[in-house]
Amino acid sequence: MSLSMFCKSIEVSLRTGPDIGDITPALKALIRESGIESGQLSAAMVGSTGSLTTIEYEPGVVDDLKRAINSLAPPGIDYAHEQAWHDGNGHSHVQAALLGPAIVLPIRNGSLKTGTWQQVVAINHDNRPRKRSIEVTITGTRS
Amino acid sequence: MSLSMFCKSIEVSLRTGPDIGDITPALKALIRESGIESGQLSAAMVGSTGSLTTIEYEPGVVDDLKRAINSLAPPGIDYAHEQAWHDGNGHSHVQAALLGPAIVLPIRNGSLKTGTWQQVVAINHDNRPRKRSIEVTITGTRS
Amino acid sequence: MSLSMFCKSIEVSLRTGPDIGDITPALKALIRESGIESGQLSAAMVGSTGSLTTIEYEPGVVDDLKRAINSLAPPGIDYAHEQAWHDGNGHSHVQAALLGPAIVLPIRNGSLKTGTWQQVVAINHDNRPRKRSIEVTITGTRS
C-alpha cells in the first residue's frame, strides 16, 4: 500500500481572545474527504496570534483554560511589543508562542483517533475577532 | 525509495497526576519493529487529561517539572469544570491542554534521534491513576 | 504523485537562555533544496534544554516571550535537579519541557505556509551559550 497525502485549509471565525473553537467536526470531514484510513493529520494555525491544542469542549473547562491562558501572559501588563506597534496585543503573541501553533494527531479506521472527551480546538489570542485559517495535511494509506 | 508507514499503540500505567513516565524504550522498540531507517515518529496521547513532551528523565528534574505543571493550573483552586462534572479534575484538563497531547520526533539511522539526556515522557494529569494509551505513527524509508 | 521525504539537520548558535533565534530562512532553504511543493515539515530540537515555536520575530515581543518563559520556571529558585547535578540549569530543563521540542508546519506551493508575521524560532533555555542542532524532516509531493 503506497502512501497518499491530502492538503486543504479550513477557516474558523473566533471572537476576541482568548476565544476557543471546536474544529473537530471540520477535521473529521476532511479525513472523510481524503479517503485515508490509517495515518496522521497535522494542522497548523496560520498567523502568530493563534494556537491549536486538545481539550474536552465543555463550557466550564473552556472558561478555565481561558483564565489559565490569561495568567500565562496577562492582557493588562506592559509589553515591549507595544513600544514598536501600539496595537495592544503583546500578550496575544506571547500566549500563542507558549501554546504553539500546530498539532499532529492519529487517524485509525478512517477517523480521527482521539479520546471520547477530547476535542481539537483552535484558539484566537488576538485582541480583536479574527477569521483564522488552519492548514491541514493528512498522510496515510487508503484501504 | 518509497515511503512506508507503521501505526501501533502503546500503553503506560501512571499514578495520580502529575505523574511522568519514560516511554522512550517503548518507542525505540516500535521503530525497530517498523524497520524504518529514516523519517519521523509522531505520538499522541488518547484522552484529554494526558500530555507528551521530552525531558531528562532524572528524578530531581522530573519532580521540578511536576511542581511547575501544578503551578500552571493548581489542583486546589476553583474550576468551572466542577460545576458540571464534580469529578475534581478541572486542573487536569487545563494542564494537559497547555502542554499539548502530541509530539513529532526524527528517526535517523534506524533509531530515535534525540539528545543523550532527552527522554520522551507521557504525563498523566488526572486526579486518579490511569492506564494511558498512546497512538504512534512512524513514517519513512527502509534501507 | 508518490510521496518523497527529505531529512537534514541545521545548526544554530544561541546565547545564554532564554535566547531566541529565527530559523525560518534556514528552513525555507531546506524546502527549496528538497524540491517538495506540497506537504509538511517537522523540526525537532536535539537536546533537553531547547525548544521550538513560532512568534513574530520583532525585538520587543521576543523580549516579552523571554520574560514569560522565565516566569514559567524562574532561574533563581531551588530545583531538585541541582541536588544531583549542581549545574545550575534546573529551570532550563523545566522551561524546555513545558514549551516542547518539536513543531510541524505546512508546505504549500513550494514554500513554508506561515503567517506574514509568523517566524519559526529555536529557543536555547540552557544557562550557557549552546550550538543547537535541529533535525528537519520534509514530507510531500514534488510537482
Side-chain angles (χ1 to χ4, degrees), chain A residues 6 13 26 55 81 94 100 108 117 127:
Chain A
F6 176 91
S13 290
I55 197 164
H81 180 61
V94 174
R108 301 290 185 268
W117 311 108
N127 62 344

Side-chain angles (χ1 to χ4, degrees), chain A residues 28-106:
Chain A
K28 288 185 169 176
L30 285 190
I31 294 171
R32 282 192 299 271
E33 189 182 339
S34 76
I36 286 174
E37 285 289 314
S38 189
Q40 68 176 34
L41 173 153
S42 68
M45 175 68 72
V46 180
S48 54
T49 55
S51 66
L52 299 179
T53 190
T54 61
I55 197 164
E56 180 182 343
Y57 199 71
E58 172 274 304
V61 78
V62 165
D63 278 352
D64 293 329
L65 179 58
K66 290 177 185 177
R67 262 188 296 275
I69 288 169
N70 270 341
S71 74
L72 288 179
I77 66 173
D78 282 342
Y79 290 88
H81 180 61
E82 302 313 324
Q83 291 161 21
W85 292 102
H86 309 288
D87 49 5
N89 72 351
H91 64 284
S92 314
H93 289 275
V94 174
Q95 291 175 1
L98 292 176
L99 269 84
I103 198 165
V104 55
L105 293 167

Side-chain angles (χ1 to χ4, degrees), chain C residues 120-141:
Chain C
V120 191
V121 292
I123 307 178
N124 177 37
H125 299 275
D126 218 338
N127 62 344
R128 56 189 173 91
R130 293 286 300 266
K131 183 182 273 191
R132 316 263 15 176
S133 177
I134 296 155
E135 290 287 342
V136 180
T137 307
I138 297 172
T139 313
T141 52

